[in-house]
Amino acid sequence: MRYAILDAENHVTNIAVADAAWQPGEGRRSAALRLITTDDFSDIDLRVDDHQAPLPELARLLQLWRTHRAARLHEQPSRANPAGLHDLDVVEARFQAQGLPVRPR
């Protein structure tokens, strides 16, 4: 999975390089990146719509994804575990660790 994430970053970089080679023009206001490795569920699914600079924004979103989501990919739904992480004690402990209010059960 680590290599797939690095590959996603390379794709964004390559798209930006290719886009820079084109003549400036209207119409390039969106960008998307979707990565599916081993399951039917997306590992990365990012989209930028109606933005002045969609590729830098997509790169920024990918960095945010790496910071906040990449380390917990094993918790998302998969064929083996269609519900993903659903242990409320674990979820609530994470909210509490971030100082967020936890709703009583």
Side-chain angles (χ1 to χ4, degrees), residues 8 11-12 31-37 40-47 58:
H11 284 309
V12 171
L33 174 66
R34 187 171 194 191
L35 175 69
I36 300 172
T37 53
D40 294 333
F41 299 96
S42 299
D43 294 316
I44 300 173
D45 194 356
L46 303 173
R47 183 180 176 101
L58 185 63

Side-chain angles (χ1 to χ4, degrees), residues 45-103:
D45 194 356
L46 303 173
R47 183 180 176 101
V48 175
D49 288 323
D50 196 25
H51 196 279
Q52 291 291 335
L55 290 172
E57 180 65 8
L58 185 63
R60 186 186 74 81
L61 291 177
L62 182 59
Q63 183 59 40
L64 285 172
W65 180 89
R66 283 182 59 85
T67 302
H68 298 287
R69 188 70 186 114
R72 295 196 311 251
L73 275 177
H74 65 282
E75 297 172 356
Q76 76 180 22
S78 66
R79 285 186 192 153
N81 184 12
L85 175 68
H86 59 277
D87 184 347
L88 292 179
D89 293 330
V90 174
V91 173
E92 287 179 357
R94 288 197 182 140
F95 283 132
Q96 288 174 342
Q98 295 176 18
L100 299 172
V102 177
R103 184 179 60 178

